Amino acid sequence: MTDVKSEKSSRTASGWSRRSVLKATSAGAVGAAATPLFFTQNAWAEKAIGNYPVKGSEVVLGFNVPQTGAYADEGADELRAYKLAVKHLNNGGGMLDTLKPSKLTGNGILGKKVAYVTGDTQTNADASRTSARRMIERDKVIMVTGGSSSGIAIAQQYLCNELGIIFMCGLTHSNDTTGKDKQRYGFRHFFNAHMTGKALSPVLSKEYGKDRRAFHLTADYSWGHTQQQSMQEFTEKEGWSTEGNIMTPLKTTDFSQYLSQVLNSDADVLVLNHYGANMVNSLTNAVNFGMRDMQKNGKNLEIVVPLYSRLMAKGAGSTNIDGVLGTSGWNWALEDEGSKVFVKTFTDEYGFPPSQAAHTCYVQTLLYANACEMAGTFYPPEVIKALEDFRFTGAGNGDTLYRGADHQCIKDILVMQGNSPSARTSDFDYLKIIDQVDAKTVDYDPAIFGGELGPYVPA
Amino acid sequence: MDMTLNAFTLYILTGLQLGSIFVLIALGLTLIFGTLGVVNFAHGALYLIAIYLAVSINNALGFGLALILVPPILFIFGVLMERGLIQRFYDRPHTDQILVTFGLAIVLQELLKWVFGANNIPFAIPSWGNGIIMLHDYLPFLEGFVVYPKWRLILVVVSIITVAAVFALLHLTRFGLVIRAGMRDAEMMQFLGVNINRRFMIVFGLGSMIAGIAGVFGGPVTQVSPEVGMHLLVPSFLVVVIGGMGSLGGAVLAGILIGMAQSFTAPYINLNTVIIYLITVIVLLVRPRGLLGAKGVFE
């Protein structure tokens, strides 16, 4: 009763009591705090996914790269690129000036300062998953990116999809990554084996003729298998025949037992579907077997390396790669504005030009950040929608589409040729660009590889 | 498998040269185990040190100096390793020896990666060993054009010479006599006034030196990257097990057997991957001490 009395006695002339004023103020404060959400796209549907919502003044990104193991050098270059991307996101500069359309301001992402944690994939699926899970659960990263192998990328992509964390693939070239294993939360900027086959085969038939017999040596894992299938498909369309294919264990260091099979066949082209140390060893072994100076069927025996990288070329040595054809996603010698500014800022920072692995990782980080800015939120389904079918330019590969149907970037790719030792002017030009194949030529129907992206909100 | 005479010859040669690397590495392993009773999992790392030394000297000063310098350096390294670490584990269980040597192998591997990077360093074959040999010029039964890399045949010859030298050392010299006696009963040798520990130190150095020879000639074949040592360690260790722990003859036999098996199964990836383990299982089931192993050792 006392309460009622006092309430009545404290009522103002306008009919407001102190309590009702307090109630209204509290409700107003709550409403005001929540107001930004009302104006965010689809905010009514937002709920906690992965590490969303992001708390505090920082947003943390997870860079999971091979810091030990066979791809450690590539991983080190990826990490350099990621650190540079963070620097540019927080302070401006680099491709922030060339990427179009872009909402990046150089003031972090959505006003939050960008921080990062790093992990070591060890080029091992289990280790990469453990490392990614640690970043997600302990360090509360909003996005994971990295990797130098398709098997590792696919493993992390599945994990991140399950946990509601966007995974921006690093260096992965298997058709499966955005094919049968594609995931709603996985995105690949790098090109793939199918695009390599499509771009490279016409160049091969022009250089070596249409009546050729190919023998494939193939790394026995996801990437190798799809690379071999794509090369076989497109070289046969050019009129070549396939003499044989041997799957080689990933840990092989001496390929002589497989090269003996090639010697014993009628093949006049050797296609090495190998990457990293595998390619370095198989190519070096093939050269030792005299295959660069050999004739078969009245023609010079040729060696093809479908996927090239500068580090691999350096490992094999310019004498061995002299004249050998392959493809790359990007090269530091490109002259477009995006490439030039990236090469300059990277070189200023580290003293040498970036690799294609560094390029794709740098661009992926910027694209994710830009998608958050465009969506106006870190809420993963909205960021995914912002990335899907996003068309952009100024990132080093001409006009590029992040295709919504399979999360594969459709962009120009490069046909490369090994430089001779005498043509080299520095320790970084082991390869030269002989053709830039446009995005339209390497485009394909995403349905051919099957797979399902799955829902925007993980189950 | 299209098994013509040409193909068969290539298979045999490939098997021999694959086996040669295994034999060179397994020889040091089995020598150390047979005399010192130490399971040296750091032996792959010794090979790794050898190829990095060899490629560095080769690229700077030429192959001749690499050949002269690397084996003695590895001998000294082996002696230091034995004095500094291994001798403290003579009386410890094999598991302790495996753990410490495996740990040492990882440390050495990461150290080399830190210094030289994870990427491959091209190891060029010297001009006199470069190129191919026209086998059809020497073997009249071959049809048409059959070639093989000269360097790999040199590797086979080096392997044969090294095996012969080790056999001669152990069986034709007084030093070898003492070592063999020490292998039978080290305690008795000490009672007879022989400083067996000093000789064991030399044996460890010798095992390491053979890894040095393997590195100089095997480097251009396996190439030079930090993972090479570990990749070769497992098959080489299995060669020692199949041949019989501590048996030099067994290591040679098993090395060639494994090389041949890998060569002949090359077109069949699934079999090729497991053939070494399959042979190991079969040999150990049928003959637990290995092909030429002494009775009671690791049986």
Side-chain angles (χ1 to χ4, degrees):
Chain A
M1 288 299 285
T2 318
D3 283 346
V4 175
K5 261 186 190 170
S6 67
E7 191 179 347
K8 277 180 183 168
S9 61
S10 66
R11 199 176 283 268
T12 62
S14 60
W16 283 86
S17 69
R18 189 178 65 225
R19 177 165 295 186
S20 59
V21 169
L22 282 173
K23 272 183 188 171
T25 312
S26 308
V30 170
T35 300
L37 290 178
F38 300 152
F39 298 107
T40 307
Q41 290 165 303
N42 298 338
W44 52 272
E46 287 188 3
K47 60 173 189 173
I49 295 179
N51 285 322
Y52 176 85
V54 179
K55 290 167 190 152
S57 59
E58 281 190 345
V59 60
V60 187
L61 308 181
F63 303 143
N64 209 16
V65 302
Q67 297 185 44
T68 54
Y71 298 147
D73 280 2
E74 222 137 31
D77 217 36
E78 290 183 349
L79 209 49
R80 287 183 200 110
Y82 283 131
K83 288 176 181 172
L84 192 65
V86 169
K87 185 180 172 186
H88 291 163
L89 285 174
N90 284 331
N91 306 307
M95 275 193 197
L96 264 65
D97 301 331
T98 59
L99 181 69
K100 286 187 181 68
S102 166
K103 284 196 164 185
L104 296 171
T105 58
N107 187 29
I109 309 175
L110 295 171
K112 289 183 190 287
K113 190 171 182 286
V114 183
Y116 65 88
V117 289
T118 66
D120 183 5
T121 65
Q122 300 173 32
T123 320
N124 171 303
D126 287 336
S128 73
R129 269 191 296 258
T130 306
S131 175
R133 191 178 277 278
R134 172 184 59 76
M135 290 174 168
I136 295 165
E137 291 175 354
R138 193 189 70 185
D139 304 315
K140 305 293 178 200
V141 298
I142 190 74
M143 177 272 273
V144 176
T145 175
S148 264
S149 153
S150 292
I152 310 306
I154 290 168
Q156 289 186 76
Q157 190 167 269
Y158 271 105
L159 176 82
C160 289
N161 195 70
E162 191 186 310
L163 299 177
I165 300 287
I166 291 175
F167 179 67
M168 303 295 282
C169 297
L171 204 142
T172 159
H173 188 251
S174 168
N175 294 336
D176 294 344
T177 312
T178 46
K180 77 174 178 59
D181 294 310
K182 62 176 167 256
Q183 301 291 319
R184 181 66 67 189
Y185 280 66
F187 287 86
R188 171 165 61 184
H189 170 262
F190 205 60
F191 67 127
N192 64 28
H194 186 82
M195 294 156 99
T196 284
K198 229 173 174 182
L200 186 58
S201 299
V203 178
L204 293 178
S205 84
K206 192 176 149 203
E207 290 283 324
Y208 305 140
K210 292 199 175 285
D211 180 25
R212 282 285 186 165
R213 301 172 192 181
F215 200 111
H216 296 249
L217 294 188
T218 303
D220 189 23
Y221 74 109
S222 169
W223 170 73
H225 291 199
T226 64
Q227 180 65 84
Q228 193 277 326
Q229 286 156 10
S230 295
M231 283 306 291
Q232 181 168 345
E233 179 189 341
F234 288 106
T235 52
E236 286 182 355
K237 276 182 185 166
E238 293 292 329
W240 290 22
S241 61
T242 306
E243 281 289 307
N245 172 41
I246 295 182
M247 297 295 179
T248 60
L250 198 55
K251 291 193 170 180
T252 309
T253 52
D254 183 358
F255 288 83
S256 55
Q257 71 255 47
Y258 313 112
L259 291 166
S260 298
Q261 307 288 321
V262 182
L263 280 183
N264 198 42
S265 74
D266 287 330
D268 47 38
V269 178
L270 170 62
V271 182
L272 296 173
N273 300 303
H274 288 144
Y275 190 73
N278 265 189
M279 173 268 173
V280 167
N281 286 326
S282 62
L283 178 63
T284 309
N285 288 175
V287 173
N288 292 347
F289 267 75
M291 290 185 175
R292 304 272 343 249
D293 310 309
M294 202 175 275
Q295 285 217 326
K296 282 277 187 87
N297 313 318
K299 304 178 183 95
N300 285 335
L301 197 151
E302 304 291 351
I303 299 176
V304 177
V305 177
L307 179 60
Y308 251 143
S309 83
R310 188 183 79 205
L311 291 168
M312 273 160 58
K314 186 179 176 184
S318 43
T319 313
N320 291 348
I321 59 151
D322 182 10
V324 173
L325 291 165
T327 61
S328 280
W330 179 85
N331 186 273
W332 63 275
L334 282 169
E335 285 291 317
D336 62 280
E337 287 308 308
S339 297
K340 279 201 297 198
V341 75
F342 176 53
V343 173
K344 183 177 184 319
T345 49
F346 191 98
T347 310
D348 287 349
E349 189 83 12
Y350 302 113
F352 49 85
S355 63
Q356 63 174 347
H359 171 255
T360 202
C361 291
Y362 177 86
V363 174
Q364 283 282 68
T365 313
L366 262 51
L367 288 176
Y368 170 79
N370 187 46
C372 294
E373 293 283 0
M374 287 195 306
T377 174
F378 289 104
Y379 184 59
E382 292 305 317
V383 178
I384 291 170
K385 284 172 193 165
L387 277 168
E388 285 176 342
D389 290 321
F390 177 55
R391 275 186 189 280
F392 60 95
T393 187
N397 291 98
D399 292 337
T400 305
L401 168 70
Y402 229 133
R403 192 160 61 183
D406 59 352
H407 295 185
Q408 172 65 54
C409 264
I410 305 298
K411 57 194 174 73
D412 295 359
I413 66 170
L414 307 173
V415 176
M416 312 293 290
Q417 190 169 36
N419 251 340
S420 64
S422 57
R424 265 183 46 219
T425 53
S426 76
D427 207 24
F428 306 102
D429 62 347
Y430 282 84
L431 303 170
K432 64 181 173 205
I433 303 167
I434 62 160
D435 199 5
Q436 183 160 354
V437 182
D438 66 43
K440 270 187 189 164
T441 309
V442 295
D443 197 2
Y444 62 93
D445 177 5
I448 60 174
F449 292 120
E452 284 288 332
L453 283 172
Y456 284 93
V457 178
Chain B
M1 201 189 305
D2 176 24
M3 193 51 78
T4 59
L5 206 53
N6 286 6
F8 186 74
T9 309
L10 286 174
Y11 280 126
I12 293 285
L13 283 177
T14 302
L16 269 179
Q17 64 94 9
L18 283 173
S20 295
I21 286 265
F22 293 144
V23 168
L24 280 179
I25 297 173
L27 204 60
L29 261 176
T30 204
L31 188 67
I32 290 168
F33 179 79
T35 49
L36 283 68
V38 172
V39 184
N40 181 22
F41 266 55
H43 203 74
L46 291 175
Y47 176 78
L48 200 61
I49 292 171
I51 54 173
Y52 272 101
L53 267 175
V55 78
S56 303
I57 298 173
N58 179 53
N59 291 354
L61 306 164
F63 187 82
L65 275 174
L67 181 58
I68 293 168
L69 292 175
V70 174
I73 293 174
L74 260 289
F75 178 85
I76 295 165
F77 187 86
V79 167
L80 292 174
M81 188 172 144
E82 195 269 349
R83 285 293 95 175
L85 187 72
I86 304 296
Q87 67 158 340
R88 296 163 208 273
F89 285 81
Y90 282 158
D91 298 328
R92 302 273 283 269
H94 284 307
T95 44
D96 287 13
Q97 296 170 356
I98 289 171
L99 283 174
V100 75
T101 51
F102 196 72
L104 183 66
I106 294 170
V107 170
L108 290 172
Q109 177 181 309
E110 292 302 315
L111 202 64
L112 286 166
K113 193 186 288 174
W114 184 54
V115 176
F116 293 96
N119 208 17
N120 185 67
I121 301 175
F123 195 148
I125 292 172
S127 55
W128 51 267
N130 216 346
I132 46 179
I133 287 185
M134 307 287 175
L135 292 177
H136 50 272
D137 287 349
Y138 303 95
L139 305 169
F141 56 84
L142 295 175
E143 292 171 18
F145 184 79
V146 186
V147 299
Y148 212 76
K150 200 192 282 180
W151 188 257
R152 286 167 187 267
L153 297 179
I154 290 172
L155 182 66
V156 176
V157 174
V158 167
S159 185
I160 293 168
I161 293 171
T162 310
V163 169
V166 172
F167 269 86
L169 180 74
L170 287 182
H171 292 273
L172 303 178
T173 66
R174 189 174 164 74
F175 173 79
L177 185 71
V178 174
I179 291 296
R180 282 187 291 130
M183 285 163 76
R184 285 276 176 86
D185 194 339
E187 206 174 24
M188 178 59 77
M189 291 303 287
Q190 277 175 327
F191 286 149
L192 292 172
V194 178
N195 185 351
I196 199 74
N197 279 338
R198 193 163 158 270
R199 283 173 173 79
F200 279 177
M201 175 187 81
I202 294 170
V203 168
F204 201 97
L206 272 178
S208 178
M209 193 170 98
I210 297 170
I213 296 168
V216 174
F217 287 93
V221 170
T222 61
Q223 288 299 300
V224 186
S225 63
E227 273 72 34
V228 170
M230 283 294 180
H231 288 169
L232 283 171
L233 178 70
V234 174
S236 302
F237 187 70
L238 291 179
V239 163
V240 173
V241 173
I242 294 169
M245 298 289 285
S247 164
L248 295 185
V252 175
L253 192 64
I256 293 169
L257 179 69
I258 293 295
M260 291 294 170
Q262 288 217 313
S263 173
F264 278 87
T265 58
Y268 318 107
I269 172 72
N270 296 331
L271 190 58
N272 187 243
T273 314
V274 299
I275 190 72
I276 298 182
Y277 307 99
L278 207 62
I279 291 174
T280 310
V281 169
I282 293 168
V283 168
L284 290 184
L285 278 174
V286 178
R287 200 175 157 80
R289 74 180 81 151
L291 293 174
L292 301 179
K295 198 172 181 187
V297 179
F298 259 64
E299 201 168 346

